[in-house]
Amino acid sequence: MIFSRKRAGSGRHARDEQAAERRVGQDTDETAGTPARGPYDISEAPDDVQRLDLGSLHIPAVPGVEVRVQADPQGVVQQVVLVHGENALQLGVFAAPRSDGIWDEVREEIRQSLFNDGAAAQELSGEYGTELRARLRTPEGITDLRFIGVDGPRWMVRGVYQGLAAVDPAAAGPLAECLDGLVVDRGQEAKPVREPLPLRLPREVADQHQAQAEAQGAGTTPDASGAA
């Protein structure tokens, strides 16, 4: 099922380099030491922003951006895609070690996988460090993809742009704003490196989602309140 909501309103050399690159020339909160933009760890995120709480990811409300969430009947989120016009940004968040970032390794694995599928990928310098851009031939035609990665404290966010934003970062617009305001809630539980961090629907949406699944299984259709 797809849930869509339109919003209104160290030793960590790789991570430190990326943070320096994406924050250079930008202001920070001198009092709190808050970075000017994210993705933020929940410990450093500004609290004056409305966000959709999906568990490990908190997505800021940006006008015109639609949040599409694919979840199983239990409300466990399998995929998160942000859509604005013809552009899309798929998001994933993964556990990382305390001492090192993992985007460099993950990026090379993505590049090799694309190569094995017959698609060439090119590394370019982007706003968050090194990006990977590729062009794929699909049954629907040619698809451009732009992979970005951001290493944080014990987590890594991976984003995949599609549409014009995949070839022209300036076209990302509100999607880039969502990425800049993204918050990661890693939690304290130990997790294997690269394991996806848990994502879930907000409780009120999960309850409605479960009611719809149960109604469909019973061959009935729930009313607007979610009751069959």
Side-chain angles (χ1 to χ4, degrees):
M1 175 182 177
I2 299 294
F3 160 66
S4 300
R5 172 178 295 180
K6 288 194 176 180
R7 310 294 301 187
S10 100
R12 305 189 65 109
H13 178 68
R15 183 198 311 148
D16 291 347
E17 279 191 348
Q18 288 181 340
E21 287 177 5
R22 63 191 171 96
R23 292 170 183 167
V24 65
Q26 297 184 357
D27 295 331
T28 57
D29 184 328
E30 296 294 340
T31 303
T34 301
R37 64 173 182 159
Y40 302 96
D41 187 76
I42 195 167
S43 64
E44 62 179 10
D47 58 6
D48 58 348
V49 178
Q50 180 186 3
R51 300 184 180 91
L52 176 65
D53 183 353
L54 296 179
S56 294
L57 285 180
H58 297 190
I59 300 173
V62 174
V65 174
E66 184 179 359
V67 182
R68 297 182 180 177
V69 177
Q70 182 176 342
D72 65 16
Q74 287 70 47
V76 177
V77 173
Q78 309 295 330
Q79 181 173 270
V80 179
V81 180
L82 311 184
V83 178
H84 180 262
E86 299 300 318
N87 292 319
L89 172 61
Q90 182 178 349
L91 294 173
V93 61
F94 305 88
R98 186 181 300 275
S99 58
D100 294 297
I102 61 174
W103 172 235
D104 286 346
E105 295 177 5
V106 170
R107 187 177 68 252
E108 175 56 27
E109 291 175 2
I110 295 172
R111 189 196 65 79
Q112 188 60 52
S113 177
L114 290 167
F115 177 80
N116 292 340
D117 290 338
Q122 180 183 14
E123 289 191 346
L124 296 172
S125 179
E127 205 169 16
Y128 289 94
T130 305
E131 302 178 345
L132 198 63
R133 301 189 192 183
R135 172 165 287 189
L136 308 181
R137 188 178 299 277
T138 69
E140 292 75 29
I142 298 298
T143 298
D144 290 299
L145 301 176
R146 177 162 63 97
F147 298 83
I148 63 99
V150 182
D151 286 306
R154 300 175 66 213
W155 51 260
M156 184 201 75
V157 168
R158 183 194 65 203
V160 186
Y161 280 105
Q162 298 181 54
L164 183 58
V167 294
D168 180 9
L175 295 181
E177 187 179 345
C178 287
L179 186 61
D180 286 349
L182 195 68
V183 173
V184 178
D185 185 356
R186 164 63 172 80
Q188 300 303 315
E189 182 181 351
K191 295 183 180 298
V193 174
R194 305 192 191 191
E195 178 177 295
L197 297 181
L199 299 171
R200 53 165 173 72
L201 294 175
R203 177 166 297 278
E204 66 276 13
V205 178
D207 291 344
Q208 181 182 18
H209 180 58
Q210 184 174 5
Q212 289 175 339
E214 291 174 352
Q216 290 173 356
T220 60
T221 301
D223 62 21
S225 66

